[in-house]
Amino acid sequence: MTTTARLADPVRGGTSKSPIARSTLVRKRHDDGISEPSSPSKRSKVTFDSDVEVRVVEEWEKPPVVIQEEVRRALQKHLLGDDSGYRRVKAIYTAKEEGHDEPSPSIIRSYTLALVNNVSSLDKTCSDLVQAVLYSDWLIQSGDYVELYLRFLANLATSQTVFLVDVFRMLVGNLTTSPLFSSPTLDEMITHHTRIYARTHKGLQYLLNLIPSASRVISSIVADAFPHESDSKRTCIVYVRNLLKMIEYAPELKADTLALITERLVKVDVRVQVDLEDLAEDVGEEIPQITDAAPESLQDSEDSDDESNIDEDEDPEAQRTKEIVRNVKKTDRLLDILFSFYDKSFSTDSVKSRTAVLDLLLSQFSTIILPTYRSRHTQFLLFHFVQQSTAYIEAFVGLCVSISFDRYRPAMIRQAAAAYLASFVARGVHVSSETVRDVWDYISSELARLYREHEPTCRGPDLTRYSTYYALVQALLYIFCFRWRDLTANSDDESDDGDLPRIYSQEHQWSAEEIQWRPGVKETLRLNLYSPQLNPLKVCSPVIVTEFARIAQYLGVILVEHRLASNKRLRLSHFAGSRGYSTPNRETALSSRKDEEHYHLDGYFPFDPYHLPRSKRWIREDYREWSGVPGLENKVADRSDSEEEDAEDSNAEEDTETDDLSE
């Protein structure tokens, strides 16, 4: 048997002996601090230090180099139809809009930097991603991020021109209202708005310098973004101020931008005038009571609307009044801003610059203001600034004269030009006597030509056929009422204060025989006012005709009372009816009056008194108020007293006769 077998077999026949025990030394753990080796089948016990901060790392928080590669692959796969990575990139910029937690500024910066480096891959198919980046909250980020974002806009606009309009539309849109910002103090809010607009202007200036041809694109964008006339005052004021700031660094946009502002201002201005007239007609109030009733507008700021909401349950007339007052304040504030802007332009030492600004104003007048019916206040920009120089006055007067006499112009335009000419000459304080006489002579010569042309074939007064003729006659009557002193032979003899001849002062007692009229004044009036066929006294505005008749009779220049008396029996509708106008079947006092008003020349003169409280200060020293004729009112009062006494005597006699008959 082998040794191995013997060891394996049990011990037979006797008691087995235990193997020899070897002595072992078992050391306790506490003896020397050495622990027993752990069994391979047991897990180690893990403990955590409570002082260590535990943070779960978000999946999208990746190093910039990883984000760079992610964006590149996402754009590549997007072209192949795999949009999973593309949507993740887009979500970075739409998280706030979709109600998710926004990524950290560092992550947004890394993704924007990656887009800058991959902008060549942003074609039309990436339009939604581009829009998400364009309308992200870049304006409220750090200054470093704004610089990076502007680099993105520049790269996008130059390499992907399909997005050029979108880039400028986003920037111009930020000039209207700034992003919502809640602040406990007004100063912080104003500071926030100022920073927002400054960054927007920085972007516009950077891109316009980089892409000069973009000026053609931005003009239409600026027009489209202009607030509607029904928008709040603050919205309009903020936008206009920003446009005026824009043309400082983009002078190539100056003409179009100023014309746009004037055009939109005229719309609000006309709306105010029409609403005021409608309200005055309905409730019987005077227009100045409405416009002068808002002195608080002097304290208005463009950062506060000061516009109360209209209560639907409120009386309709009260709602209309509130709406009118809001538009009046808006017009007043915008005009004050424009007056200030143009004042700086006309204060420059450069004659060339001042002339260029004057040309802009004259262009806006002929293309925007003049063709607009019932503009009420906007034209006072010209009224004020053309009176800065004799040459400017001559330029404006010459423009009005040329338009009024241009037979190729529409009749309404010629008629409006005549009204502007007369109103400016009559109301302008700085319009010299020489200019008044020159304008009188111009109009007289044109009237003589029109008289020779129309009188032989004229069958009666007809505003439709001879509108230009009547407009020029009314212009003469209006000028005469205000500037009759300048039409006298001794109008060059100035008083000690350099204003009026001594014999025409309010204190001087004089008679009509003292006045010597310049050659041609009486002849022009007699030729036209005594015309039996054209009969302008019947067609011109009754208010102007009546005032002229009073002054002319008192001054002894011409007597028209007999003509006015005979005109009371004349119906203009009879003459106009032969040219297509229908007459009422049965004429009543009311229908006759309404029809006659329709055939009268409108008594609109564009430089009538200015009532906007804030901007009125600009024209106060340039405007001639109505002063009347020395002694005329006293004579009229004496005549009225005499007529009342005669009426009382007549009534007394009638009472006596009645008593006699009763007896």
Side-chain angles (χ1 to χ4, degrees):
M1 176 180 283
T2 63
T3 303
T4 305
R6 288 196 305 266
L7 291 176
D9 287 341
V11 178
R12 298 176 182 177
T15 304
S16 60
K17 295 180 180 180
S18 60
I20 298 174
R22 297 181 180 178
S23 61
T24 57
L25 294 177
V26 179
R27 296 184 179 181
K28 301 297 184 180
R29 185 175 182 179
H30 58 272
D31 292 341
D32 55 5
I34 300 176
S35 60
E36 299 181 17
S38 60
S39 172
S41 62
K42 291 185 177 181
R43 291 180 177 271
S44 301
K45 186 177 180 180
V46 180
T47 59
F48 296 94
D49 190 346
S50 59
D51 295 332
V52 176
E53 180 182 358
V54 179
R55 183 174 67 87
V56 178
V57 179
E58 297 291 345
E59 183 179 358
W60 45 263
E61 289 198 34
K62 307 165 186 175
V65 65
V66 176
I67 293 176
Q68 179 85 12
E69 182 62 19
E70 177 189 348
V71 170
R72 186 187 67 81
R73 290 185 178 182
L75 295 177
Q76 286 182 348
K77 291 183 178 181
H78 173 68
L79 297 177
L80 301 176
D82 183 0
D83 290 341
S84 56
Y86 178 84
R87 286 193 296 268
R88 285 196 297 270
V89 175
K90 178 183 173 183
I92 297 297
Y93 299 96
T94 60
K96 182 178 180 180
E97 180 181 346
E98 296 175 355
H100 303 309
D101 293 337
E102 283 189 275
S104 65
S106 61
I107 291 298
I108 297 177
R109 175 183 175 82
S110 296
Y111 274 91
T112 303
L113 180 60
L115 289 175
V116 170
N117 296 329
N118 291 276
V119 73
S120 59
S121 300
L122 296 174
D123 56 9
K124 288 183 180 180
T125 63
C126 302
S127 177
D128 56 341
L129 173 59
V130 171
Q131 295 298 322
V133 179
L134 290 180
Y135 290 95
S136 60
D137 291 335
W138 66 277
L139 285 168
I140 59 176
Q141 302 297 329
S142 65
D144 292 340
Y145 180 79
V146 171
E147 295 290 340
L148 174 63
Y149 187 85
L150 294 182
R151 281 177 53 199
F152 168 75
L153 294 182
N155 290 355
L156 181 67
T158 53
S159 62
Q160 300 290 348
T161 56
V162 67
F163 296 117
L164 179 65
V165 173
D166 295 315
V167 169
F168 279 104
R169 184 178 289 118
M170 178 274 296
L171 289 171
V172 172
N174 288 324
L175 298 180
T176 53
T177 54
S178 61
L180 295 178
F181 177 74
S182 58
S183 172
T185 66
L186 178 62
D187 290 340
E188 290 183 5
M189 184 177 296
I190 294 176
T191 302
H192 170 76
H193 292 164
T194 302
R195 182 171 63 252
I196 293 298
Y197 299 136
R199 290 178 170 181
T200 302
H201 284 297
K202 183 177 181 180
L204 281 171
Q205 183 175 4
Y206 176 55
L207 292 180
L208 286 172
N209 290 337
L210 187 65
I211 316 171
S213 60
S215 299
R216 297 191 298 269
V217 175
I218 199 173
S219 293
S220 60
I221 295 175
V222 167
D224 292 339
F226 205 101
H228 190 266
E229 60 187 66
S230 61
D231 287 342
S232 69
K233 181 190 69 175
R234 178 184 177 273
T235 301
C236 295
I237 289 175
V238 165
Y239 192 66
V240 168
R241 281 194 175 279
N242 279 318
L243 292 187
L244 296 179
K245 176 68 175 178
M246 181 185 69
I247 62 180
E248 292 180 6
Y249 55 78
E252 67 276 9
L253 300 174
K254 187 173 186 178
D256 290 343
T257 303
L258 291 176
L260 173 67
I261 295 173
T262 301
E263 177 187 353
R264 300 306 171 89
L265 175 59
V266 166
K267 289 183 178 180
V268 181
D269 191 12
V270 171
R271 180 180 177 182
V272 168
Q273 181 66 12
V274 172
D275 289 346
L276 284 174
E277 291 178 353
D278 291 344
L279 184 63
E281 182 179 350
D282 293 343
V283 302
E285 295 185 4
E286 295 293 333
I287 293 176
Q289 294 178 348
I290 299 293
T291 55
D292 288 343
E296 67 271 15
S297 65
L298 292 172
Q299 308 299 328
D300 288 343
S301 169
E302 59 268 27
D303 292 305
S304 62
D305 268 334
D306 190 30
E307 297 180 3
S308 58
N309 295 327
I310 296 179
D311 187 357
E312 294 182 357
D313 298 331
E314 198 173 19
D315 180 75
E317 293 300 331
Q319 293 182 14
R320 289 176 61 191
T321 302
K322 281 187 176 181
E323 183 68 22
I324 291 173
V325 170
R326 281 203 290 261
N327 285 329
V328 167
K329 289 182 177 181
K330 184 192 302 181
T331 304
D332 190 17
R333 193 71 178 91
L334 291 176
L335 274 170
D336 190 64
I337 292 172
L338 288 179
F339 270 115
S340 179
F341 172 80
Y342 282 112
D343 184 65
K344 295 177 182 177
S345 301
F346 278 100
S347 300
T348 181
D349 295 332
S350 173
V351 176
K352 183 178 180 181
S353 298
R354 295 197 302 269
T355 303
V357 177
L358 176 67
D359 291 341
L360 287 178
L361 284 175
L362 294 178
S363 175
Q364 294 170 21
F365 169 75
S366 59
T367 59
I368 301 173
I369 299 176
L370 182 63
T372 304
Y373 183 66
R374 286 293 183 184
S375 177
R376 181 63 181 84
H377 300 97
T378 310
Q379 57 266 23
F380 277 89
L381 289 169
L382 283 105
F383 183 86
H384 171 69
F385 289 109
V386 298
Q387 293 192 68
Q388 303 294 312
S389 165
T390 302
Y392 300 165
I393 293 176
E394 293 177 355
F396 180 64
V397 168
L399 178 62
C400 292
V401 168
S402 64
I403 295 176
S404 301
F405 297 173
D406 187 355
R407 63 179 64 191
Y408 298 105
R409 296 264 189 169
M412 290 298 296
I413 298 297
R414 299 173 68 182
Q415 181 178 328
Y420 272 96
L421 176 63
S423 191
F424 177 74
V425 171
R427 294 288 192 174
V429 167
H430 304 291
V431 178
S432 65
S433 299
E434 182 181 0
T435 300
V436 175
R437 293 190 291 269
D438 289 342
V439 171
W440 181 277
D441 292 341
Y442 294 151
I443 297 178
S444 298
S445 299
E446 181 65 10
L447 282 175
R449 185 189 69 80
L450 293 175
Y451 182 88
R452 292 191 300 269
E453 179 180 333
H454 299 324
E455 179 69 16
T457 58
C458 180
R459 293 178 295 175
D462 189 344
L463 178 59
T464 303
R465 292 190 64 183
Y466 314 119
S467 60
T468 301
Y469 173 80
Y470 294 126
L472 291 176
V473 171
Q474 183 165 286
L476 275 190
L477 301 184
Y478 192 81
I479 291 173
F480 184 89
C481 291
F482 278 87
R483 304 299 295 262
W484 60 269
R485 299 167 179 83
D486 300 303
L487 300 175
T488 60
N490 52 353
S491 60
D492 291 331
D493 299 334
E494 295 183 349
S495 59
D496 294 337
D497 59 0
D499 188 9
L500 299 175
R502 292 187 180 87
I503 65 169
Y504 304 140
S505 63
Q506 296 288 346
E507 296 79 11
H508 181 74
Q509 300 297 324
W510 54 274
S511 62
E513 289 75 14
E514 294 182 72
I515 301 179
Q516 299 295 323
W517 299 96
R518 293 181 67 249
V521 173
K522 289 185 176 182
E523 291 76 7
T524 296
L525 294 174
R526 290 171 181 170
L527 174 67
N528 295 280
L529 301 187
Y530 287 163
S531 171
Q533 300 300 323
L534 291 169
N535 197 356
L537 291 177
K538 181 62 179 177
V539 178
C540 292
S541 173
V543 175
I544 297 174
V545 169
T546 301
E547 186 63 28
F548 169 80
R550 292 173 62 249
I551 296 175
Q553 180 178 357
Y554 181 66
L555 297 177
V557 64
I558 189 174
L559 299 177
V560 295
E561 294 295 335
H562 63 288
R563 176 63 64 182
L564 298 180
S566 62
N567 281 343
K568 293 180 180 179
R569 301 186 295 272
L570 189 65
R571 291 288 178 263
L572 292 174
S573 55
H574 295 165
F575 298 97
S578 63
R579 299 190 56 80
Y581 291 92
S582 60
T583 56
N585 295 329
R586 184 175 66 86
E587 185 176 283
T588 64
L590 181 60
S591 64
S592 175
R593 182 179 66 85
K594 288 184 177 179
D595 284 340
E596 290 302 296
E597 289 179 357
H598 177 73
Y599 300 122
H600 281 139
L601 186 62
D602 189 10
Y604 166 68
F605 284 92
F607 296 119
D608 279 348
Y610 189 100
H611 294 291
L612 297 181
R614 180 171 191 142
S615 53
K616 186 177 182 178
R617 60 194 176 96
W618 292 97
I619 58 103
R620 188 172 291 114
E621 301 299 325
D622 306 316
Y623 194 75
R624 183 187 302 275
E625 301 287 350
W626 171 252
S627 60
V629 181
L632 175 59
E633 298 303 326
N634 295 334
K635 185 174 182 179
V636 171
D638 295 341
R639 183 186 301 174
S640 299
D641 294 340
S642 177
E643 290 176 353
E644 290 178 0
E645 292 175 359
D646 293 342
E648 292 176 357
D649 294 341
S650 176
N651 292 335
E653 292 176 0
E654 290 178 0
D655 293 341
T656 303
E657 292 177 358
T658 303
D659 293 340
D660 293 341
L661 290 175
S662 63
E663 292 176 357

